[in-house]
Amino acid sequence: LRRGAGAPDLAGRRVVVSAGGTREFLDPVRFLGNRSSGRQGYALARTAAARGAKVTLIAANTALPDPAGVDVVRVVSTRDLQEAVFAAGADADAVVMAAAPADFRPAEYADSKIKKTDDVSAPVVSLVQNPDILAGLVRRRREAGDGPVIVGFAAETGDATGSVLEHGHAKLARKGCDLLVVNDVSGGKAFESTENAAVVLADDGTSTTVPQGPKEALADVVWDLVVRRLAR
Ligand code: CTP
Ligand code: CA
């Protein structure tokens, strides 16, 4: 069995990859955002296309060239991303959520630019929670009794409540997806980088360690694991 780069083992498959970081606007000029560049998602889209898949890349605020042979859908907010992922994921064989959706958005949007009114006071921004897209995909699949392989990403830092891997295992169980790619982002590692290291946790208890290397190498390991699941 030939695996990894060059093998057409995703031929005839439809896959959806989300990439980048969503933005939640406060007013026409300001937003809450995050540090996701979209590089890992683009690497997943490129490698899936190279392996023969029909790929839809849902890109949130990325500044990267469109990968050749991939359908690119552009979105801004977490709710836009949810709509696009749910639509494209409806008849997909796999959905990989490499995007970093903002967990919260401002409770209110100001139609015109928020102005300073004096020299000292500042507005208080109230936030509300955004939908959890990954959890929603898992719910939809459970309700339908059938659906795509679902892959999540988790950028974690170790803290007083647990290590990076402990947080990863807890998140995999909480989200109910099939695979969770766990990154250690302590000190800002991985952001804006072309390299990544990760541990891919599977719901069957297995884990695959991917050493520091190009984001394409991690992407190929993810597709290897997806291909194996699709063959079950
Ligand atoms: N995710 C999602 N919808 C959200 C937030 C996250 O689909 N509103 C997806 C991400 O794309 C990722 C996975 O869920 O694949 C894990 O994201 P993460 O931010 O680590 O999970 P959260 O449940 O938001 O937990 P945390 O409090 O650690 O941010
Ligand atoms: Ca989050």
Side-chain angles (χ1 to χ4, degrees):
L1 181 72
R2 228 157 46 95
R3 275 211 250 115
D9 52 2
L10 286 170
R13 300 295 190 179
R14 296 177 45 90
V15 306
V16 177
V17 178
S18 69
T22 65
R23 292 179 180 176
E24 302 294 343
F25 277 81
L26 284 152
D27 70 15
V29 295
R30 304 184 178 98
F31 59 83
L32 300 175
N34 64 68
R35 294 178 60 181
S36 178
S37 67
R39 286 188 210 290
Q40 184 62 62
Y42 275 61
L44 281 153
R46 272 197 304 278
T47 51
R51 292 166 74 147
K54 189 171 176 340
V55 183
T56 302
L57 172 64
I58 303 173
N61 311 295
T62 54
L64 299 168
D66 287 357
V70 165
D71 283 333
V72 182
V73 177
R74 299 204 164 267
V75 296
V76 176
S77 69
T78 292
R79 288 181 295 173
D80 299 340
L81 179 63
Q82 179 186 41
E83 198 180 313
V85 167
F86 270 60
D91 58 352
D93 295 293
V95 178
V96 181
M97 285 295 298
D103 291 329
F104 309 103
R105 66 177 182 274
E108 274 164 52
Y109 173 76
D111 288 318
S112 47
K113 189 182 167 195
I114 299 165
K115 302 296 283 181
K116 275 190 293 193
T117 48
D118 58 51
D119 286 344
V120 286
S121 68
V124 174
V125 178
S126 306
L127 303 176
V128 294
Q129 202 160 324
N130 269 328
D132 188 322
I133 302 164
L134 189 68
L137 286 168
V138 170
R139 204 177 316 119
R140 181 168 75 170
R141 184 177 65 177
R142 195 184 318 114
E143 284 163 8
D146 188 26
V149 174
I150 302 171
V151 183
F153 270 70
E156 301 287 348
T157 59
D159 61 22
T161 66
S163 67
V164 166
L165 275 187
E166 283 164 347
H167 286 307
H169 280 289
K171 190 164 284 177
L172 176 65
R174 190 165 70 240
K175 298 269 185 183
C177 53
D178 303 302
L179 302 169
L180 188 72
V181 183
V182 182
N183 277 144
D184 181 348
V185 291
S186 319
K189 267 183 289 196
F191 293 110
E192 281 112 42
S193 161
T194 57
E195 293 213 329
N196 216 346
V199 178
V200 188
L201 303 178
D203 66 338
D204 61 9
T206 59
S207 67
T208 309
T209 300
V210 185
Q212 182 74 22
K215 288 185 172 177
E216 278 77 9
L218 173 55
D220 270 319
V221 171
V222 170
W223 294 126
D224 289 346
L225 294 167
V226 167
V227 164
R228 223 179 284 168
R229 292 208 161 228
L230 287 170
R232 274 189 195 165

